Structure formats: structure tokens, C-alpha cells
Amino acid sequence: MNIEKNLQKSIDLYLNNFGIIFLPGLAASILTVLSLGLLAGPLFGGLMILILKLLRDQQAEFKEIFAHFEKTLPTLIICLAAEIVFLIARNIPVVGVALTVALSPLILVVVTIALILIIENDSAPLPAVKEGILFFKTEPLIIWIYGLIALILSSVGAVAFGVGVFLTIPFSVICLTVAYQEYSEQGYFEIIKSGDGHPQT
């Protein structure tokens, strides 16, 4: 993975399609809060599919975030599992905070890949998580750094101008969806399903 190239592609994609990404991202964020997180999976999974359509030069519409509620249960399982991991990590004495920070990019990558696979490929939660982990293991340090940068850039809005978090929160979703599309174009996810190995990146 070329971190600089993918980050620039993510920035360009957001700037060139600001309206079609920001408004669904805002709606997904608000509805996630109102639903106490129960709809985070299908809403943000829909946002990822919307971004994939932009990357593939397909028609992308606001309503995409509302098109996958039939995947509420499997995506909820993924999101709850991630929250449990964070909860356990945070409560470990002495190293809890540091461990949570260290795990955040990994969890972001695995959850993003899993949500896309559940919605796009109709994967079950456990196989989707396994594929997310296998994806991370291809270039663990590079992908971890990429995920960390994406998280930092997504949180800039909260740190710099409070409510502006809604402007930057979609950025981590964009970055990881760009990475998914890059590897998908190389046939990576088909290869790990067949168990034949991994393409070179």
C-alpha cells in the first residue's frame, strides 16, 4: 500500500464529491446517535458502498445509506464485538489507554472491511472479520499507520472546531474504503476466499 497515494486519493475524492459524501455522512452520524448505535453498521456500511460506487464511476445517491437495513443484525454483531474489545482494553490497569490507542487502527481496518464484505458480498460476520484480519496481516505496520492517520484526520474537526467533527468524520471511512477498493481491484478478496495466497501489493 502506498500511504501517500491513498491519502491523496481519499482527500481528492472527498473534495470532488463533498456534497454526496458529507450529507449522507452527517445523516449516518446523527441517526447512529439517535439509535444508540444500533444502526451504525447499515448506515455507515451504506456510506462505504456509496463511496465504492464513486470510486467505480457508478451512480451514487444519498439514499444508499438507507438501503441496507436488512444487514442490521450481522453488522450490529461486528460493531458490538469491536466495542467489547475496546471496553476490555480500556479497563486493563496501567496500559489500558495506550492499548486502546494501539488497537484503534486495527479495529478500524477490520470493522470497515467486515462491514463492506457483509453488505457487498453477503458475508457472515465471522468470515468477514477473518478476512479483515487477513487483510491487515498483509502489511500490518503500513496498514496500521494508514489507519492511524485516517483516525487522526477524522478527529481533526472535533479538536479544531468542535461541531466541525461532522466535516471530518467521514474521512476515515473514505480512506479505508479506498484501500478496500485498491485491494479488491487486485483480486485480493477473491484470493483469500479461495485460500490460494495473496497478491503482491
Side-chain angles (χ1 to χ4, degrees):
M1 175 189 291
N2 185 317
I3 293 178
E4 183 179 357
K5 177 183 175 182
N6 279 12
L7 287 174
Q8 188 60 57
K9 185 174 183 177
S10 300
I11 292 170
D12 291 342
L13 183 71
Y14 193 19
L15 293 178
N16 294 333
N17 301 275
F18 179 77
I20 193 58
I21 294 176
F22 170 71
L23 292 178
L26 177 62
S29 300
I30 293 173
L31 292 174
T32 292
V33 172
L34 293 177
S35 68
L36 302 179
L38 296 178
L39 297 179
L43 290 168
F44 278 94
L47 181 61
M48 295 167 195
I49 299 300
L50 184 152
I51 293 166
L52 279 176
K53 287 186 174 181
L54 290 172
L55 289 167
R56 295 167 179 171
D57 294 322
Q58 299 173 356
Q59 184 176 5
E61 299 180 1
F62 181 97
K63 63 182 181 181
E64 189 68 50
I65 64 169
F66 303 115
H68 307 285
F69 287 132
E70 78 281 2
K71 300 295 185 182
T72 297
L73 181 57
T75 57
L76 179 60
I77 291 171
I78 299 296
C79 294
L80 286 177
E83 285 300 318
I84 291 171
V85 171
F86 278 128
L87 181 63
I88 293 172
R90 281 195 299 267
N91 285 282
I92 296 177
V94 183
V95 299
V97 174
L99 183 59
T100 301
V101 172
L103 283 174
S104 293
L106 167 61
I107 299 299
L108 172 66
V109 171
V110 173
V111 168
T112 300
I113 298 301
L115 290 179
I116 293 175
L117 290 173
I118 287 172
I119 292 177
E120 184 172 52
N121 294 350
D122 200 29
S123 295
L126 184 56
V129 169
K130 288 181 178 179
E131 291 195 22
I133 294 171
L134 287 172
F135 169 75
F136 184 86
K137 288 170 66 176
T138 57
E139 297 179 287
L141 180 58
I142 296 297
I143 294 176
W144 185 87
I145 292 172
Y146 182 71
L148 180 62
I149 294 172
L151 282 171
I152 291 172
L153 292 175
S154 286
S155 62
V156 165
V159 175
F161 38 88
V163 295
V165 66
F166 291 115
L167 287 172
T168 58
I169 202 170
F171 196 71
S172 61
V173 178
I174 298 170
C175 289
L176 270 298
T177 306
V178 165
Y180 172 87
Q181 176 63 11
E182 175 190 357
Y183 280 70
S184 181
E185 287 177 342
Q186 297 169 6
Y188 173 81
F189 294 102
E190 293 302 320
I191 287 175
I192 62 174
K193 284 179 183 177
S194 68
D196 293 334
H198 304 279
Q200 297 298 313
T201 58

